[in-house]
Amino acid sequence: MRTRDVNKENLIQEKAIEMIVKQGLDGFSMQKLAKAANVSPATLYIYYKDRDDLITQLATSVSNRLMETSLKGMHPKMSFADGLELQWKNRMEFFFKYPLDVEFIEQIRYMPTYDSVRDNIRKNFGDVLGKFVHNAINRGELQPLPFEVYWSMAFAPLYQLIKFHAQGNSPANASFRITDDMVKQTLELVIKALKP
Amino acid sequence: MRTRDVNKENLIQEKAIEMIVKQGLDGFSMQKLAKAANVSPATLYIYYKDRDDLITQLATSVSNRLMETSLKGMHPKMSFADGLELQWKNRMEFFFKYPLDVEFIEQIRYMPTYDSVRDNIRKNFGDVLGKFVHNAINRGELQPLPFEVYWSMAFAPLYQLIKFHAQGNSPANASFRITDDMVKQTLELVIKALKP
DNA sequence: TGCATAAGTGAATGAATATTCATTTATATT
DNA sequence: AATATAAATGAATATTCATTCACTTATGCA
């Protein structure tokens, strides 16, 4: 039996993400991807059922890696400030290591395709995060809030900063770059907001 | 001289937004749009130079309407809490009135296409918002912060809530709906964070 | 060594794509 | 009413698209 070429598999994923980030989902095609990855179009259909499946699998894989990184070193009993700081640090680390991956997720996050990915995240990581938040509330380190309110305060500002950086552009500044100080400052504001 | 059919023009815009929101940018085509709007494909090229121009013009128009709504009743000397609350209220009003428009913008916000739209926003509304923030800082009602940090705290949580609502889905809840209380609560957290 | 089997291919197919063009239609002005 | 002119059209074009299929290639195992 012939063996699967793992390098080829990785190259396909890499090029697909690169293409989608740089040209958008509608500038992305199976034939262009095949050419970019030095592979026959038919090969793509060995790895993926169809175009939609390719995108979903890609999103699932990247999301899982991002969530795993974000929860590295987390345990549900951590203090709220420490736990949130750790998650921010982990996410920033991931962003600087794999900026295209983050942009890729941001780009497909609001598409119908992403629904199943979200379910997957909830299933795999909802437990740890749910417990962390629950414990923090019980210890009085975090206001009791609807989860959505919590999530919107806890992470949306970070992602907005990342977006500004990724597009090198903000409402006030046409060549914006994120700094560690900025992230730290924003995190402090978030913690201030969420503490009782 | 034959006169331009304004209803037709509006219908085209409406259908285009509807299609892009429901099927994504890559499920959107000129021919499908023409059919949906009961128009010849060639007619679209009277209104728009090409596909890209159509999308950019659409985004610019919607963004301007959103920003106009968001600044309704604003004057730069307003107290910080009042001004931010007014902008949140205005944005929510717009969202409930034109949910598709907001989803449309969220969907193309992270694409290369959107760059010129962002420039346009900065040019048209940067002044009012800049002055509002500046005054609030001078009066000691707002921490002096890099504009990007301010913006990330001031609006990203609201948009995250809106996204949860629009997709009827959140990390914790598979059938999420926003409530006025939630928005109010989140706004209070934001103001708490941003006050000195 | 050679066989079984999955990996990988290149060319082909039919459908869908963006855009154009010669033509027709409606109306504001004369 | 006649005319000028921009709006609007339907059919056509060349291109690109996702997907398939008959075929070749590489390799684990017998």
Side-chain angles (χ1 to χ4, degrees):
Chain A
M1 187 183 61
R2 191 171 173 179
T3 43
R4 206 177 174 111
D5 186 338
V6 183
N7 291 340
K8 198 158 283 187
E9 205 171 347
N10 291 338
L11 189 62
I12 289 172
Q13 294 191 13
E14 210 173 283
K15 289 287 178 187
I17 289 173
E18 197 182 308
M19 287 178 63
I20 292 175
V21 168
K22 292 202 177 145
Q23 316 176 37
L25 244 193
D26 66 327
F28 167 82
S29 85
M30 299 299 268
Q31 319 218 47
K32 282 200 267 184
L33 172 58
K35 184 160 285 183
N38 278 315
V39 145
S40 160
T43 304
L44 299 175
Y45 288 85
I46 299 171
Y47 294 82
Y48 308 100
K49 190 176 145 288
D50 55 27
R51 192 185 118 112
D52 231 57
D53 181 51
L54 186 153
I55 294 166
T56 307
Q57 277 197 46
L58 228 50
T60 304
S61 145
V62 173
S63 292
N64 280 338
R65 276 191 291 125
L66 169 56
M67 287 307 283
E68 266 159 30
T69 304
S70 135
L71 296 183
K72 205 165 53 185
M74 277 290 290
H75 38 98
K77 291 179 189 164
M78 258 175 146
S79 89
F80 173 65
D82 287 350
L84 195 62
E85 186 183 356
L86 181 61
Q87 283 179 68
W88 275 50
K89 274 202 173 125
N90 285 340
R91 280 171 211 255
M92 285 302 293
E93 183 195 313
F94 189 89
F95 171 63
F96 280 113
K97 224 178 201 161
Y98 312 107
L100 289 184
D101 286 8
V102 177
E103 288 189 67
F104 167 70
I105 293 190
E106 287 303 311
Q107 199 157 116
I108 62 162
R109 198 180 201 176
Y110 314 110
M111 304 218 15
T113 309
Y114 196 74
D115 287 356
S116 66
V117 179
R118 203 161 18 238
D119 287 350
N120 186 273
I121 293 177
R122 213 193 337 263
K123 217 175 53 192
N124 288 337
F125 305 101
D127 215 43
V128 181
L129 287 176
K131 275 181 187 150
F132 167 69
V133 170
H134 189 254
N135 288 340
I137 293 174
N138 277 355
R139 280 195 309 268
E141 300 167 0
L142 169 63
Q143 295 185 49
L145 296 167
F147 198 92
E148 293 78 15
V149 173
Y150 163 72
W151 187 274
S152 299
M153 282 302 301
F155 296 111
L158 172 61
Y159 279 94
Q160 183 61 62
L161 279 181
I162 287 177
K163 268 170 232 156
F164 283 154
H165 180 93
Q167 63 205 13
N169 232 315
S170 83
N173 186 339
S175 64
F176 173 72
R177 315 221 78 219
I178 219 171
T179 67
D180 278 346
D181 275 354
M182 253 178 221
V183 177
K184 210 169 162 186
Q185 192 175 23
T186 312
L187 175 60
E188 273 160 19
L189 295 178
V190 166
I191 290 175
K192 178 180 167 200
L194 289 172
K195 270 189 180 159
Chain B
M1 187 180 68
R2 191 170 175 181
T3 44
R4 207 179 175 110
D5 187 336
V6 183
N7 292 339
K8 198 158 283 185
E9 205 171 347
N10 291 338
L11 190 62
I12 289 172
Q13 295 190 15
E14 210 173 282
K15 290 288 178 187
I17 289 173
E18 197 182 308
M19 287 178 63
I20 291 175
V21 168
K22 292 201 177 145
Q23 317 176 37
L25 245 193
D26 66 327
F28 166 82
S29 85
M30 300 298 267
Q31 319 220 44
K32 281 200 269 184
L33 172 58
K35 184 160 286 183
N38 277 316
V39 146
S40 160
T43 305
L44 299 176
Y45 289 85
I46 299 172
Y47 294 82
Y48 308 99
K49 192 177 144 288
D50 54 28
R51 193 185 117 113
D52 230 57
D53 181 52
L54 186 152
I55 294 166
T56 307
Q57 276 197 46
L58 228 50
T60 304
S61 144
V62 173
S63 292
N64 280 337
R65 275 192 291 125
L66 170 55
M67 288 305 283
E68 266 159 30
T69 305
S70 135
L71 296 182
K72 206 166 50 184
M74 277 290 290
H75 38 97
K77 292 179 191 164
M78 258 176 146
S79 89
F80 173 65
D82 286 352
L84 194 63
E85 186 183 355
L86 181 59
Q87 284 180 67
W88 275 50
K89 272 200 175 129
N90 286 341
R91 281 170 210 257
M92 284 302 292
E93 182 194 313
F94 189 89
F95 171 62
F96 280 114
K97 223 178 201 162
Y98 313 106
L100 289 184
D101 287 8
V102 177
E103 289 188 65
F104 166 71
I105 293 191
E106 288 303 311
Q107 198 157 116
I108 61 162
R109 196 179 202 178
Y110 314 111
M111 305 219 14
T113 309
Y114 196 73
D115 287 355
S116 66
V117 179
R118 204 162 16 240
D119 287 351
N120 188 272
I121 293 176
R122 214 195 335 265
K123 217 174 53 192
N124 287 338
F125 305 101
D127 215 43
V128 182
L129 287 176
K131 276 181 187 150
F132 167 68
V133 169
H134 188 254
N135 288 340
I137 292 173
N138 277 355
R139 281 195 310 266
E141 299 167 2
L142 170 63
Q143 297 185 48
L145 295 168
F147 198 92
E148 293 77 15
V149 172
Y150 163 72
W151 187 275
S152 299
M153 281 303 301
F155 295 112
L158 172 62
Y159 279 95
Q160 183 59 61
L161 279 181
I162 287 176
K163 268 170 234 156
F164 283 153
H165 180 92
Q167 64 205 14
N169 232 315
S170 82
N173 187 339
S175 64
F176 174 72
R177 313 223 80 219
I178 221 173
T179 67
D180 277 346
D181 276 353
M182 253 177 220
V183 178
K184 210 169 162 184
Q185 192 174 22
T186 312
L187 175 61
E188 274 160 21
L189 295 178
V190 167
I191 291 176
K192 178 180 166 198
L194 288 173
K195 270 190 182 160

